[in-house]
Amino acid sequence: MAAPSPAPRKILGRLSLPERNYVADALRTETVGGVLLLLAAVAALIWANTPLGDSYTAVSDFHIGPASLGLDLSIEHWAADGLLAIFFFVAGIELKRELVAGELRDPKAAALPVIAALCGMVMPALVYLVVTTAGGGSTAGWAVPTATDIAFALAVLAVIGTSLPSALRAFLLTLAVVDDLFAILIIAVFFTNDLNFAALGGAFVGLAVFWLMLRKGVRGWYVYVPLALVVWGLMYNSGVHATIAGVAMGLMLRCSRREGEEHSPGEHIEHLVRPLSAGVAVPLFALFSAGVAVTGESLTDVFTKPETLGVVLGLVVGKALGIFGGTWLAARFTKAELNEDLAWPDVLALATLAGIGFTVSLLIGELAFTGDATLTDEVKASVLMGSLIAAILAAVLLKRRVRIYQALAADEERDEDMSGIPDIYEQDDPAYHLRMAAIYEKKAAEHRRKAEAAGVSSDGGDSPA
């Protein structure tokens, strides 16, 4: 007798319970951070476009730090190179966890989000290059529209009140993690200045000490935080972007659980640091990066200059086409099937939402056009405009299917037997069905009692003769 063929893999299928719980915890923090990010961006725009605009420039350009260590930096510079190192540290932990325990641990399962993310980065870059080449603009900003900002995307979801099922949220998170990985590589390869090999060697020695202490089980934040600061300072002075130090340290943490562990060290540290990243580091970066002057002329420039138009079209068109096309191609050639509860318009809506590129896009914009303050501000404005357009389009697409999403999300949360585990994950557990039988029997008995009481009342002779 022939063995039954394996069930086809599902695109956007239901997550396992541990993965669902992890995604829910991670995205809960990111959503709160995303709302703070939105508020910080709005505050920056208001501050920079009021009579207090000169004070915004003065604060952003104010220098602080030890010049003898090469760290006499402006506040804006500290936000981009210092605070974002925390953001990339968390991104490194996320990536490590995805590789050892998440969606990327199985090469076959990882193919879909990796292909979708790659296409979602290549297509915006191509759109930018086509637009700038045709318009005679600078191609230096090709990487600006390639990144997805998960916190900003989740903030949009929170604002429009769309309750996405966990599979869609997990897909968005995995896309963002893979995006971050390639953004890190882009920054390291294409935006590295002249190398100071002595500082770079010192940074590698510091990372080696960091790794060795982790392997030896050394504990105590008072040991790791000073070492991390030293590694960051050396990395900054080496000419390699300082945020790479954060990624490297995040990747070194162990994210696989051992027997008896409820959480791995990496998951535990991520739980502690993520609120600092999402709630402090990224909003402060937005506050000192998003403050661009907005005038009728500057808004016109966004849609007329080849560099800025390339960024807008890259985020709005390139991201959507790239992720949707990559997902469809992966399904077509791997014979994976889309979750029967969802449809391809859901993938398009998610791909459009991924066009919200904020934090990393702003950072790459600053790196790509260093030395040209005017073009840097124009590119920042185009990132904000492109992200806004992508958010509005995604909101319209998601609202059309909001009832389906709400029903799916409600099914994932339903826990009628009060076991602490959603019912949808207990369908193969006999004990669950016994508990439900007892619950229904109790309800049936209560209805019989009420029916008997109602019958006695109606036949009690109280009606008029």
Side-chain angles (χ1 to χ4, degrees):
M1 182 177 178
S5 59
R9 288 183 295 106
K10 294 289 185 183
I11 297 176
L12 304 178
R14 187 189 310 146
L15 303 177
S16 65
L17 184 59
E19 187 70 10
R20 171 191 174 276
N21 292 339
Y22 168 80
V23 169
D25 290 341
L27 295 186
R28 192 176 298 115
T29 303
E30 291 287 3
T31 301
V32 174
V35 173
L36 293 176
L37 176 62
L38 279 173
L39 294 175
V42 171
L45 288 170
I46 293 174
W47 189 2
N49 289 277
T50 62
L52 298 175
D54 290 341
S55 67
Y56 178 85
T57 303
V59 172
S60 297
D61 292 341
F62 182 77
H63 278 61
I64 188 172
S68 59
L69 299 178
L71 296 175
D72 182 20
L73 310 178
S74 67
I75 296 297
E76 182 181 1
H77 208 162
W78 275 110
D81 283 50
L83 291 177
L84 279 194
I86 301 173
F87 167 80
F88 278 106
F89 174 69
V90 174
I93 299 175
E94 286 179 335
L95 177 60
K96 179 67 173 291
R97 188 198 166 276
E98 288 290 330
L99 289 170
V100 301
E103 290 291 299
L104 303 181
R105 70 186 185 280
D106 178 8
K108 291 183 178 179
L112 172 64
V114 169
I115 291 172
L118 274 174
C119 293
M121 297 187 80
V122 171
M123 187 60 72
L126 289 176
V127 169
Y128 178 92
L129 290 172
V130 168
V131 172
T132 53
T133 301
S138 171
T139 58
W142 63 270
V144 174
T146 59
T148 293
D149 193 308
I150 183 66
F152 213 144
L154 291 171
V156 170
L157 291 177
V159 170
I160 65 177
T162 299
S163 181
L164 292 184
S166 60
L168 286 175
R169 289 176 176 265
F171 186 63
L172 185 61
L173 177 61
T174 306
L175 280 176
V177 169
V178 178
D179 254 10
D180 287 342
L181 167 63
F182 288 106
I184 291 161
L185 294 175
I186 288 171
I187 291 171
V189 174
F190 296 99
F191 299 104
T192 293
N193 300 321
D194 294 335
L195 291 178
N196 180 332
F197 288 100
L200 184 61
F204 278 121
V205 170
L207 289 171
V209 172
F210 187 88
W211 178 85
L212 186 61
M213 289 198 305
L214 288 173
R215 292 301 172 270
K216 294 295 183 181
V218 177
R219 295 177 178 270
W221 64 267
Y222 46 85
V223 176
Y224 288 102
V225 171
L227 177 58
L229 291 175
V230 170
V231 172
W232 176 86
L234 288 168
M235 190 70 76
Y236 175 82
N237 281 286
S238 73
V240 177
H241 200 270
T243 53
I244 303 300
V247 176
M249 287 184 280
L251 286 170
M252 289 181 182
L253 295 175
R254 177 170 62 83
C255 293
S256 56
R257 299 178 188 178
R258 292 175 179 170
E259 187 175 353
E261 287 185 340
E262 184 176 354
H263 301 288
S264 67
E267 290 172 324
H268 176 67
I269 293 173
E270 181 187 6
H271 179 74
L272 294 176
V273 179
R274 186 186 287 276
L276 177 63
S277 170
V280 178
V282 175
L284 282 177
F285 167 75
L287 181 64
F288 292 108
S289 292
V292 295
V294 178
T295 63
E297 183 181 355
S298 65
L299 290 178
T300 301
D301 288 344
V302 166
F303 297 101
T304 55
K305 287 194 173 182
E307 296 89 352
T308 51
L309 181 60
V311 170
V312 172
L313 292 179
L315 288 171
V316 176
V317 179
K319 269 289 182 182
L321 290 180
I323 292 175
F324 181 83
T327 306
W328 185 87
L329 288 173
R332 175 70 177 80
F333 291 105
T334 63
K335 298 182 179 179
E337 293 182 358
L338 185 65
N339 182 354
E340 60 272 10
D341 294 326
L342 299 171
W344 283 108
D346 301 316
V347 179
L348 179 60
L350 205 66
T352 304
L353 185 65
I356 299 174
F358 189 80
T359 305
V360 179
S361 291
L362 289 176
L363 175 62
I364 295 178
E366 292 179 356
L367 297 174
F369 298 105
T370 299
D372 190 337
T374 300
L375 187 54
T376 297
D377 282 348
E378 291 172 345
V379 167
K380 286 182 179 181
S382 67
V383 169
L384 296 174
M385 182 59 69
S387 297
L388 177 62
I389 295 172
I392 293 172
L393 290 176
V396 172
L397 293 172
L398 291 168
K399 278 293 187 181
R400 295 184 63 186
R401 303 263 295 169
V402 66
R403 292 185 179 178
I404 293 174
Y405 299 147
Q406 289 174 341
L408 291 173
D411 285 341
E412 291 180 0
E413 297 295 332
R414 188 173 294 110
D415 183 19
E416 291 188 24
D417 64 338
M418 305 297 288
S419 65
I421 300 175
D423 296 341
I424 201 168
Y425 290 97
E426 296 188 294
Q427 296 303 310
D428 296 328
D429 183 4
Y432 160 75
H433 294 287
L434 290 175
R435 289 194 297 271
M436 291 304 300
I439 291 171
Y440 287 134
E441 179 58 35
K442 184 177 180 180
K443 289 182 179 179
E446 180 66 17
H447 283 297
R448 284 194 294 268
R449 185 190 66 77
K450 289 182 178 180
E452 291 171 358
V456 169
S457 174
S458 63
D459 296 336
D462 293 333
S463 57

